[in-house]
Amino acid sequence: MTLTVIATLKAKPGKEEALFDTLSALVEPTHNEEGCLKYEMHRSHENPGHVIFVEDWENRPLWEAHMESPHLQDFSAKQDDLVESWELFVGEKAAG
């Protein structure tokens, strides 16, 4: 069963571009990870400090390995300086 993850992040005031640049650097290495089926980064037109990732993974263990990857660990070390708030949805497609 495919795992769907939606991560919503909001930049701290004045950190919008720094967050965008930092998150953009996650896309390519994540696409190369085992189990990554989709990893899309979206940025709001109305609020450039609002970024959403839409992800599909083969299974939860492979997503959990992604969360321990060097590039995610690097981001985790920077997030307190850049991120005002974030929310994570982890689930599966239920219909359609």
Side-chain angles (χ1 to χ4, degrees), residues 14-50:
K15 300 289 185 164
E16 294 85 0
E17 290 306 314
L19 179 61
F20 178 78
D21 292 344
T22 301
L23 294 176
S24 294
L26 301 176
V27 175
E28 184 177 343
T30 299
H31 279 157
N32 294 324
E33 289 182 52
E34 180 184 1
C36 179
L37 303 173
K38 176 170 71 174
Y39 192 78
E40 299 175 343
M41 181 177 156
H42 303 265
R43 187 179 197 185
S44 171
H45 283 181
E46 290 78 26
N47 179 357
H50 188 190

Side-chain angles (χ1 to χ4, degrees), residues 70-84:
H71 49 279
L72 259 288
Q73 292 301 307
D74 183 55
F75 170 70
S76 292
K78 298 174 184 174
Q79 78 177 8
D80 286 346
D81 183 50
L82 301 174
V83 179
E84 180 175 293

Side-chain angles (χ1 to χ4, degrees), residues 83-95:
V83 179
E84 180 175 293
S85 64
W86 62 273
E87 186 175 330
L88 194 63
F89 167 87
V90 180
E92 61 189 48
K93 187 174 184 178

